[in-house]
Amino acid sequence: MRVVAFGGGHGLYASLSALRRVTGELTAVVTVADDGGSSGRLRRELGVLPPGDLRMALAALCGDDDWGQTWSKVVQHRFRSEGELHGHAVGNLLIVALWELLDDPVAGLDWVGRLLGAHGRVLPMASVPIDIEAEVEYDGVVTVVRGQVACAVAPGNVQAISLVPADPPACPEAVQAVRDADWVVFGPGSWFTSVLPHLKVPQLAGALHTTAARRLVALNLAPQPGETEGFSAEKHLEVLREHAPDLTIDVVLADHGVVGEREELEKAADALGGRLVLADVAAADGSPRHDARRLASVLDEIFRGKR
């Protein structure tokens, strides 16, 4: 089963932590819009793709053995100091070093993947760094905010996003992975800054619209303050449809706990051409995060046509 997962940050980490238990043919396509923290500093100083979300995806693909868990901790480790290294993640520096040595972002990520024993491949969604521009409504006034960090923390409600540049070159390997896939998975994750940007890269969006793969959306367990505060589960699907009106979805996966009116969520899924699957995929401790093993079990049943 060839699966391609889209997203970035903690949401994609959750998705990949589950999917690596389901298939040996897994590709992560990761947003490259981060402009904050260690990634933003490296992006501004060296002109490279922001490595942070790519690093997190690689860490999520590490196995459960000592090798995988040790390397996952190493690449996620951040320096703490009073100097220039403060806040930098080891994995970010490792990835950028390989990019400089190999002069090939994809080859560099593949090398890191082999070092980590990653159960899958990690690719950037675009070959150049991008910025996200968001239309944000606050007190009846709509303003345009630029930058992933600014979009995530701007007061008000995000209405829509666009990319700068508007037509970034897609990573060719990512486009091919989508064309070859059996399933593509969107979410969970920051809806406007991690999930929807993939649909705004023309070449990648074209492959997503024409692939023979089936498409699944995994909904978040809670709205995200600053981006989707006040959003119902169905509102997430409505926004997805607004940004990609011609994209059909086969399955919408949601945890029982996020559903307000089941009928409304079913209508929103149906409007995208899909069916709703409800399952217990949240962590048992009540926190708004997915349990990797529960999510893996449900995804496996969906992929095999048993749910």
Side-chain angles (χ1 to χ4, degrees):
M1 192 72 67
R2 291 166 295 187
V3 180
V4 178
F6 296 89
H10 295 284
L12 183 60
Y13 187 98
S15 177
L16 296 176
S17 297
L19 286 167
R20 68 175 172 83
R21 294 175 162 87
V22 175
T23 176
E25 295 289 335
L26 176 58
T27 301
V29 178
V30 184
T31 182
V32 286
D34 192 3
D35 59 352
S38 172
S39 286
R41 291 161 62 190
L42 291 167
R43 172 180 174 171
R44 289 187 294 273
E45 183 173 343
L46 301 174
V48 296
L49 296 172
D53 286 342
L54 297 160
R55 179 202 81 242
M56 284 193 68
L58 284 162
L61 293 175
C62 288
D64 294 323
D65 57 359
D66 286 343
W67 181 273
Q69 290 303 294
T70 298
W71 275 109
S72 179
K73 292 175 183 176
V74 169
V75 297
Q76 295 283 62
H77 177 75
R78 289 185 184 275
F79 294 105
R80 295 287 180 263
S81 74
E82 299 297 324
E84 293 295 324
L85 275 177
H86 178 74
H88 272 306
V90 172
N92 289 356
L93 302 177
L94 176 62
I95 290 168
V96 173
L98 280 162
W99 285 346
E100 290 195 345
L101 289 170
L102 301 175
D103 195 27
D104 184 335
V106 171
L109 292 168
D110 286 343
W111 271 93
V112 178
R114 287 197 291 271
L115 173 65
L116 271 56
H119 295 251
R121 194 180 194 194
V122 173
L123 299 170
M125 76 174 185
S127 300
V128 297
I130 63 171
D131 283 320
I132 296 173
E133 282 192 345
E135 297 175 14
V136 182
E137 186 273 329
Y138 183 67
D139 281 348
V141 178
V142 177
T143 58
V144 175
V145 176
R146 181 166 176 170
Q148 179 172 308
V149 173
C151 293
V153 301
N157 298 315
V158 178
Q159 306 292 307
I161 62 156
S162 58
L163 303 184
V164 180
D167 187 9
C171 172
E173 291 85 352
V175 172
Q176 191 60 50
V178 172
R179 290 174 177 158
D180 294 341
D182 298 302
W183 281 87
V184 295
V185 176
F186 298 95
S190 301
W191 217 242
F192 286 101
T193 55
S194 291
V195 177
L196 297 180
H198 297 82
L199 300 170
K200 308 300 286 186
V201 179
Q203 292 170 304
L204 195 55
L208 284 165
H209 281 77
T210 58
T211 180
R214 302 188 72 190
R215 305 169 186 88
L216 180 145
V217 172
L219 290 176
N220 293 335
L221 296 172
Q224 181 176 358
E227 259 195 53
T228 56
E229 194 160 4
F231 273 31
S232 62
E234 54 268 22
K235 178 64 174 178
H236 286 77
L237 299 183
E238 292 165 4
V239 169
L240 175 62
R241 189 181 181 195
E242 290 168 3
H243 282 77
D246 298 323
L247 184 70
T248 58
I249 300 297
D250 295 279
V251 176
V252 174
L253 173 60
D255 186 83
H256 285 100
V258 309
V259 179
E261 296 290 336
R262 175 170 178 162
E263 184 177 344
E264 293 301 314
L265 185 53
E266 287 179 334
K267 287 180 180 178
D270 183 68
L272 289 167
R275 62 185 179 89
L276 175 65
V277 174
L278 294 179
D280 293 319
V281 292
D285 61 8
S287 63
R289 60 184 180 85
H290 288 80
D291 180 276
R293 295 187 185 278
R294 286 182 176 182
L295 183 57
S297 178
V298 174
L299 288 171
D300 184 58
E301 290 179 355
I302 292 172
F303 293 165
R304 296 180 185 278
K306 295 181 179 180
R307 184 187 282 257

